[in-house]
């Protein structure tokens, strides 16, 4: 997951706000997913401190969000936006074979939702890019969630 500031014409530049590779969530050759929710210990697993989450697990691929009965999410630390446009680059897949949508929600410091964008994903890893433009808030968090468990 990588969040970058955009140039006015919409092309990403290397002004990265936050980057995570979720490598500390990988379980090596173990094909079973973790079963302990790590949401209360995310600072131990993330490259950047201050992440929040719900139903966050280890897996053979990296971080897994959600279970078959409960949606999971990750929320970035507070981001200081120097520009009003950002790009999110990520790779994800569904745990189940059905297609779904991964959602990205911009939150104010008070937790108010100001915009939601989504990207279709299926059960094959795909790289996706989402652009948020004309953001008026200077400090935001980004909430990442999906209705099915995802890697």
């Amino acid at each position: 997951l990588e969040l970058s500031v955009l140039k006015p014409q919409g092309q990403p530049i290397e002004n990265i706000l936050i980057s995570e590779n979720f490598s500390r969530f990988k379980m090596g050759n173990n094909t079973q997913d973790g079963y302990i929710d790590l949401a209360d210990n995310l600072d131990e697993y993330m490259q950047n401190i201050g992440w929040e989450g719900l139903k966050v697990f280890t897996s053979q691929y990296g971080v897994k969000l959600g279970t078959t009965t409960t949606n999971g999410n990750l929320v970035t630390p507070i981001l200081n936006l120097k520009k009003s446009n950002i790009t999110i680059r990520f790779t994800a897949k569904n745990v189940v074979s059905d297609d779904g949508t991964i959602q990205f929600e911009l939150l104010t410091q008070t937790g108010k939702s100001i915009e939601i964008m989504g990207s279709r994903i299926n059960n094959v890893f795909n790289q996706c890019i989402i652009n948020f433009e004309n953001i008026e808030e200077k400090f935001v968090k980004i909430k990442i969630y999906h209705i099915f468990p995802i890697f």
Side-chain angles (χ1 to χ4, degrees):
L1 173 73
E2 192 171 83
L3 307 178
S4 305
V5 174
L6 290 181
K7 289 182 180 175
Q9 69 269 28
Q11 296 299 314
I13 60 172
E14 293 304 317
N15 188 359
I16 297 173
L17 297 171
I18 192 168
S19 179
E20 289 287 346
N21 66 17
F22 305 109
S23 63
R24 295 180 187 157
F25 288 90
K26 288 185 181 176
M27 298 177 58
N29 295 331
N30 190 343
T31 57
Q32 283 193 310
D33 298 333
Y35 57 89
I36 297 172
D37 186 359
L38 302 173
D40 291 335
N41 300 316
L42 290 178
D43 285 348
E44 295 176 29
Y45 290 86
M46 299 298 219
Q47 295 161 293
N48 301 277
I49 61 169
W51 284 80
E52 303 166 40
L54 173 71
K55 299 297 180 189
V56 181
F57 303 95
T58 58
S59 81
Q60 63 182 327
Y61 304 108
V63 69
K64 176 185 171 190
L65 299 180
T67 67
T68 55
T69 59
T70 306
N71 298 338
N73 68 62
L74 280 172
V75 180
T76 67
I78 294 174
L79 305 172
N80 182 353
L81 301 182
K82 295 181 174 90
K83 303 280 183 183
S84 63
N85 303 324
I86 59 172
T87 294
I88 301 172
R89 287 185 283 190
F90 66 97
T91 303
K93 77 173 196 139
N94 276 346
V95 173
V96 295
S97 61
D98 298 333
D99 287 353
T101 302
I102 186 169
Q103 301 285 341
F104 293 84
E105 183 174 355
L106 289 181
L107 304 173
T108 65
Q109 284 186 285
T110 60
K112 177 185 168 194
S113 174
I114 54 176
E115 188 171 1
I116 298 174
M117 297 283 285
S119 181
R120 300 284 299 161
I121 59 173
N122 55 31
N123 66 336
V124 177
F125 278 107
N126 290 301
Q127 186 174 30
C128 304
I129 297 176
I130 293 180
N131 294 317
F132 284 98
E133 298 182 358
N134 302 316
I135 303 166
E136 294 181 11
E137 298 283 332
K138 182 173 171 68
F139 298 100
V140 299
K141 292 182 178 185
I142 298 178
K143 181 178 181 179
I144 305 154
Y145 60 96
H146 187 265
I147 53 172
F148 294 111
I150 58 170
F151 295 113

